[in-house]
Amino acid sequence: MDMDHHAWAFKPAEPLQKSSTGLLKGLTFSVKDLIGVSPWPLKASTHAPLPHVPDNPVTQKLLLAGALLVGKTHLHEIALGIMGMNPVAGQALNPLSPNRISGGSSSGAAITVATRECDFALGTDTGGSIRIPAALCGVYGFKPTHNLYSTQGVLPLSPTCDHLGTFARSINMIQQVHQAILGERPLHVSWKGVKVGLWSIKNWVTPEVWETTENFSHKLQRLGASVEVFDFQVPAGTYSTIVLAEAAFIHRAALEREEAGFGEGTLALLQQGKTIPAVQYLAAMKERDMVLQDLKGLFHRYDVLIAPTVPSIAPLLGEDTLDLPEGKIPMRQAFLRITNPWSLLGIPVVSVPLPLRGLSIGVQVMLPQGEDARLLGLCAELG
């Protein structure tokens, strides 16, 4: 495991330790380098100047619960992307196959858990940034209800969609960390009689991903759940309008400089965000409210929603489109449209890893806002 996957942004000689007792005594973790931990540097895997970020209270809680912080991890530059690419470390590499992408933006977080360099990791998810790398690297990724884990002391990208969450190799570990953060004890729940909706996006994923997702739904049926397919649409552009407008505002000081310091792709997206008129942003926020109403309707019909996490196994380095049943789709769009609705809507999601051809994909398991403990309990029952 000595290979460099470009995961570590900052690795001190000694881990940071605040307590030798507590629920997480002796467990090790990493944090994405958007998260404030003094006296450590915060660079967000960019050369651009950043707004000041104070200490993150969740990280402090984990330290006080006895966990040891072993370092900070690289990300897709300022978290604005899903490839795991940045101008500081370059492309993050998939630990299951180093000629493939790890996914992002929390690339280093997923990698350090997958390579067993730590027991769990903190990452952020604005449009899929925990779930995508978790699925591609073969670990569990948990995006809690919006603002359940404090994003204070986390460099924002889009306050409307930003979530702080966790990675681990087991759901039990995620439950333990959840308990340390919130004091909620793990729930034991059964799949018996649970009504499950499967998002019908067969054309958005490769046939092998759809087949693996259907096999997962058959497993839920064997556990006593009922499964049926549902349709759900989010207006195109709602998510990107909100995120790019907010990101351009967060990084406005750097954008005003002659040399902003961002990589080419990041700069192009931020400049796009800068040109979004207020009326377009407000219209997108109104669309979001309407989609939230649609989601309420869905959760009247179903207890749990499931969907693939990723459209394919990890793409090879250098690929920028995916071949899907509906045609060639740009990589960013192909990945984000499957995960971003659930960040936009702020509901808790676990990406459960599913092996495929020696690599990994994932399935998203989703519940209504605030039902995080129940979600983790259901996922723990999957064995």
Side-chain angles (χ1 to χ4, degrees), residues 11-298:
K11 201 136 186 242
E14 291 295 318
L16 199 57
Q17 183 175 13
K18 293 246 161 122
S19 163
S20 51
T21 59
L23 189 61
L24 305 178
K25 175 182 186 302
L27 294 176
T28 57
F29 73 113
S30 67
V31 301
K32 184 175 183 174
D33 193 23
L34 284 180
I35 296 170
V37 182
S38 54
W40 294 359
L42 189 154
K43 299 279 203 305
S45 302
T46 185
H47 294 302
L50 301 169
H52 170 71
V53 179
D55 275 0
N56 169 247
V58 175
T59 305
Q60 297 305 318
K61 252 187 190 168
L62 297 170
L63 287 165
L64 292 171
L68 289 87
L69 182 53
V70 291
K72 297 184 93 176
T73 56
H74 271 305
L75 50 140
H76 191 112
E77 188 177 20
I78 65 162
L80 188 54
I82 48 95
M83 308 290 284
M85 184 70 200
N86 67 73
V88 177
Q91 175 65 55
L93 308 176
N94 193 312
L96 301 175
S97 175
N99 60 344
R100 294 175 183 274
I101 69 166
S102 60
S105 67
S106 309
S107 40
I111 293 167
T112 56
V113 169
T115 54
R116 301 180 173 265
E117 291 173 85
C118 53
D119 295 305
F120 67 94
L122 281 188
T124 63
D125 190 311
T126 304
S129 282
I130 284 174
R131 291 159 288 157
I132 291 167
L136 297 182
C137 294
V139 298
Y140 287 86
F142 173 45
K143 178 189 86 62
T145 296
H146 189 245
N147 279 340
L148 185 66
Y149 293 0
S150 173
T151 50
Q152 192 193 330
V154 178
L155 177 73
L157 179 68
S158 157
T160 301
C161 299
D162 288 346
H163 299 68
L164 183 64
T166 52
F167 294 85
R169 292 183 297 276
S170 73
I171 275 293
N172 295 17
M173 178 70 66
I174 287 180
Q175 283 180 310
Q176 221 177 318
V177 173
H178 184 73
Q179 188 176 346
I181 295 170
L182 289 188
E184 285 188 347
R185 297 189 74 83
L187 286 184
H188 290 286
V189 275
S190 156
W191 284 93
K192 277 193 180 61
V194 172
K195 289 196 287 231
V196 177
L198 165 60
W199 193 18
S200 64
I201 53 168
K202 194 174 177 175
N203 283 341
W204 285 9
V205 300
T206 61
E208 59 179 6
V209 166
W210 190 252
E211 190 189 349
T212 311
T213 307
E214 283 192 319
N215 290 343
F216 179 83
S217 76
H218 299 152
K219 179 180 182 165
L220 298 186
Q221 287 169 320
R222 289 194 294 277
L223 292 170
S226 63
V227 182
E228 62 176 60
V229 175
F230 71 89
D231 276 315
F232 184 67
Q233 256 107 32
V234 179
T238 306
Y239 166 83
S240 57
T241 297
I242 292 169
V243 169
L244 295 182
E246 292 183 353
F249 179 73
I250 300 288
H251 292 282
R252 63 193 181 279
L255 289 174
E256 264 150 33
R257 293 160 47 117
E258 208 171 314
E259 276 296 318
F262 297 108
E264 226 177 302
T266 307
L267 185 61
L269 286 170
L270 288 171
Q271 282 170 338
Q272 196 185 323
K274 213 174 147 179
T275 63
I276 292 169
V279 283
Q280 190 185 333
Y281 173 76
L282 293 171
M285 290 298 268
K286 205 157 199 73
E287 280 168 1
R288 175 175 171 265
D289 290 340
M290 285 157 66
V291 180
L292 273 166
Q293 289 311 309
D294 294 344
L295 182 70
K296 274 204 177 113
L298 269 185

Side-chain angles (χ1 to χ4, degrees), residues 286-331:
K286 205 157 199 73
E287 280 168 1
R288 175 175 171 265
D289 290 340
M290 285 157 66
V291 180
L292 273 166
Q293 289 311 309
D294 294 344
L295 182 70
K296 274 204 177 113
L298 269 185
F299 278 125
H300 280 305
R301 287 188 0 236
Y302 307 109
D303 305 310
V304 175
L305 305 179
I306 63 170
T309 307
V310 287
S312 68
I313 54 170
L316 290 163
L317 300 175
E319 289 185 352
D320 51 13
T321 59
L322 275 189
D323 280 318
L324 298 173
E326 59 164 10
K328 264 199 195 320
I329 304 293
M331 195 78 76

